[in-house]
Structure formats: C-alpha cells, structure tokens
C-alpha cells in the first residue's frame, strides 16, 4: 500500500500568486493535478480566517483541501464539499496556554503600548489577538515589553511578526504558545498518523518560519523576500535543521520557482517519485 503524503501550504504569496513576481503559467494546474491523486492529503495553512480561505479558493480556482489550518494556526477544519467542521480537540489542546484569560483581557494587558493597532474584528478569534505595527517601530523593544507583561501573568504566548508587503505595514499575532502553524501542522500529522518522512510544508513569510526552520520537511518559495530567506537560513542553522529546509530557485520543469512552482520544486526535492506524477500531467 502506498503511504499517504501530506502536503501543507501557506496561501498568500505561496500558493496564491498575489505577490509582485510573476507566476509560471503551468504551475497551478500541475499543483491541482498532483494533489488530486489519492495518495495526497492536502492542507492549507494560512493566516486567513475561514471566510477568507473560502474566498481564495473561489477566486484562484484552488483545489478543495482535506484540511484547513486557519487563523495562523489557531483553528483546524476538516473540509468536505458542503461542510467545514472545526476540530474542538485543537481548541482543547491550546486553551491552557492563556491561563484562563480571554481575548479582551489579553488586549487590555497591552493597553499602554501605543504602537499596537488592533486589527479588524474579522481577523481576531478566541485564540488570536492580532495587531498592525508601523514598519519603523523598535520591534525588539516592543516584543520584550510584551513578553515581560505575559510572564507577569503566567501566560504562555507566541508573538509572530510578519510584513504585509502590499500594504507596507507590520503584522503581529499573539497566539497560545502551542498554536503556531508549526504546532498545528504537527498536531494534524499526529492525528492522521503521517510521519515527517511523508509530509512537506511550503511557505514564504515570517509567520511560516516556525515550520520552515523545524524538522518538518519544508520549502521556501523563490518569491520570498531576501530578509525572510536569510532569517530562515540563520534559524535553520541554529536549530540544526538545514536538511529540512529547501530554498526554491527555479528551473524545475522549466518553471520559475515562484508560488506553486516553488511548492512543486520542493515536493519533488524531498519526494522524487512525485516528479513522475507531475510529468504525466505536464502537457
């Protein structure tokens, strides 16, 4: 029996070609054909909430995934054609990190940090407190103050910073420490009984770094910024996980390595048998 393969991918500027660099025309159709195979389990791993993931699937004609890890890892959905079922076991797993604190209580804790601008209500949830930050902010100082306040209240939280390149603004998510994309992907793998040998993650930005620099086989697409690329390499060296980080560069099957082309390049790097499957659909 052929082992199941779990493909996990970020959406914006990873699978979705909504960055500034061009997409290879054949890449998304090849990706769709690959993930339609019975061996493949597909999960989208995104900072988007459910409605925005559904919007992306419709707008970019994406294949329907088997699972969605949404809201930067704070929700997990099992997906079928007419139903999205949120996993209560994931909420149960991550809830203890916030020491009984509710979303509004955590926000109040940071009330004196004036640089923090609360994101829209649709971008918040029970376990995701999200802010905008000016790019010029003294980020190390701000993060240190937030960590000090969290420690005072025995709250275990992860602070995930990234940049919205199109809007030129910083994004900061406060999550339960167990609720990053990395922990959510690991939890999904455990629940499905899929090992690291048969799983690949793809991403492009700062909030993907916890997975990209972990022991999970990962690919950084070629359109990622130079800053994210350097940080990923540095963190992988620090964690001694360089063998689990692949930097897409283009040239694979005549494609440029951006977006879904980079995802396919990374999948073929780790799982060479998949290249034959791709070539069967390359018309």
């Amino acid at each position: 029996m052929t082992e199941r393969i779990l493909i996990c991918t970020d959406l914006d500027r990873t699978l979705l070609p909504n960055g500034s660099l061009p997409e290879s025309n054949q890449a998304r159709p090849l990706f769709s054909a690959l993930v339609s195979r019975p061996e493949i389990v597909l999960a989208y791993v995104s900072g988007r909430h459910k409605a925005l993931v559904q919007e992306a699937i419709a707008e970019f004609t994406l294949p329907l995934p088997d699972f969605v890890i949404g809201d930067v890892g704070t929700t997990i959905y099992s997906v079928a054609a007419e139903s999205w079922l949120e996993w209560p076991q994931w909420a149960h797993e991550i809830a203890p990190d916030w020491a009984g604190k509710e979303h509004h209580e955590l926000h109040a804790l940071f009330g004196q940090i004036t640089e923090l601008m609360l994101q829209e209500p649709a971008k918040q949830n029970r376990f995701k407190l999200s802010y905008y930050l000016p790019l010029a902010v003294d980020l190390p100082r701000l993060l240190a103050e937030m960590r000090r306040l969290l420690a005072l209240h025995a709250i275990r939280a992860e602070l995930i910073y990234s940049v919205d390149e199109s809007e030129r603004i910083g994004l900061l998510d406060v999550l339960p420490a167990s609720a990053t994309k990395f922990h959510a992907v690991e939890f999904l793998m455990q629940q499905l009984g899929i090992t690291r040998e048969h799983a690949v993650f793809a991403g492009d930005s700062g909030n993907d770094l916890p997975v990209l620099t972990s022991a999970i086989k990962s690919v950084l697409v070629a359109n990622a910024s130079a800053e994210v690329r350097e940080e990923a390499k540095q963190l992988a060296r620090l964690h001694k996980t360089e063998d689990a980080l692949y930097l897409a560069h283009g040239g694979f099957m005549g494609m440029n390595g951006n977006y879904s082309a980079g995802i396919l390049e990374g999948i073929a790097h780790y799982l060479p048998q998949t290249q034959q499957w791709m070539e069967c659909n390359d018309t």
Side-chain angles (χ1 to χ4, degrees):
M1 179 179 173
T2 304
E3 287 277 1
R4 288 186 301 167
I5 294 170
L6 176 62
I7 304 301
C8 299
T9 178
D10 176 50
L11 289 178
D12 289 279
R13 294 171 299 282
T14 301
L15 181 58
L16 305 185
N18 55 353
S20 60
L21 295 177
E23 178 187 34
S24 290
N25 290 335
Q26 71 269 44
R28 252 186 304 152
L30 277 177
F31 177 84
S32 295
L34 175 66
V35 301
S36 71
R37 293 184 63 95
E39 303 92 337
I40 302 294
V41 178
L42 176 63
Y44 294 151
V45 186
S46 178
R48 292 184 178 222
H49 57 77
K50 175 184 171 182
L52 285 180
V53 173
Q54 292 172 326
E55 183 180 294
I57 290 170
E59 180 181 353
F60 290 92
T61 320
L62 301 180
L64 193 69
D66 300 290
F67 298 94
V68 168
I69 295 171
D71 302 285
V72 202
T74 58
T75 55
I76 299 179
Y77 295 91
S78 176
V79 179
E82 299 300 327
S83 66
W84 289 50
L85 300 177
E86 187 170 355
W87 278 13
Q89 63 265 43
W90 181 234
H92 179 75
E93 180 86 5
I94 65 181
D97 288 342
W98 276 11
K101 291 283 192 296
E102 296 294 325
H103 184 280
H104 70 277
E105 294 174 293
L106 224 60
H107 175 51
L109 188 66
F110 304 129
Q112 300 305 309
I113 304 177
T114 57
E115 298 97 333
L116 294 173
M117 298 170 284
L118 199 63
Q119 292 183 24
E120 296 85 350
K123 297 180 180 178
Q124 316 286 340
N125 69 29
R126 180 184 173 192
F127 295 117
K128 177 174 176 279
L129 174 58
S130 295
Y131 294 101
Y132 294 118
L133 283 176
L135 292 182
V137 72
D138 182 346
L139 189 63
R141 178 196 60 76
L142 181 141
L143 295 179
E145 175 61 10
M146 294 178 74
R147 291 188 178 109
R148 184 187 71 81
L149 292 167
L150 291 165
L152 279 176
H153 293 81
I155 297 166
R156 296 182 62 250
E158 193 78 20
L159 306 178
I160 304 293
Y161 177 77
S162 59
V163 175
D164 184 331
E165 299 289 350
S166 60
E167 299 294 331
R168 300 303 301 159
I169 196 164
L171 307 173
L172 182 65
D173 297 313
V174 185
L175 314 173
S178 304
T180 64
K181 288 183 176 183
F182 167 66
H183 290 102
V185 169
E186 276 214 323
F187 187 81
L188 180 61
M189 290 167 61
Q190 290 163 2
Q191 295 293 305
L192 297 178
I194 295 177
T195 67
R196 287 177 179 169
E197 291 303 307
H198 298 95
V200 178
F201 172 83
D204 78 296
S205 69
N207 64 26
D208 298 316
L209 286 170
V211 197
L212 289 167
T213 61
S214 74
I216 295 170
K217 298 179 191 303
S218 299
V219 54
L220 183 66
V221 291
N223 55 284
S225 71
E227 292 80 9
V228 169
R229 187 172 291 257
E230 284 308 307
E231 189 171 1
K233 290 193 292 186
Q234 290 174 15
L235 288 171
R237 281 194 295 270
L238 181 66
H239 299 158
K240 296 181 169 52
T241 56
E242 295 104 317
D243 289 346
L245 174 64
Y246 179 78
L247 306 177
H249 48 76
F252 174 70
M253 293 181 67
M255 296 183 290
N256 59 18
N258 297 334
Y259 316 114
S260 49
I263 301 172
L264 295 172
E265 184 181 329
I267 292 170
H269 169 76
Y270 291 119
L271 302 166
Q273 74 272 27
T274 62
Q275 183 168 349
Q276 295 179 332
W277 301 346
M278 296 176 206
E279 288 170 346
C280 287
N281 292 291
D282 184 19
T283 56

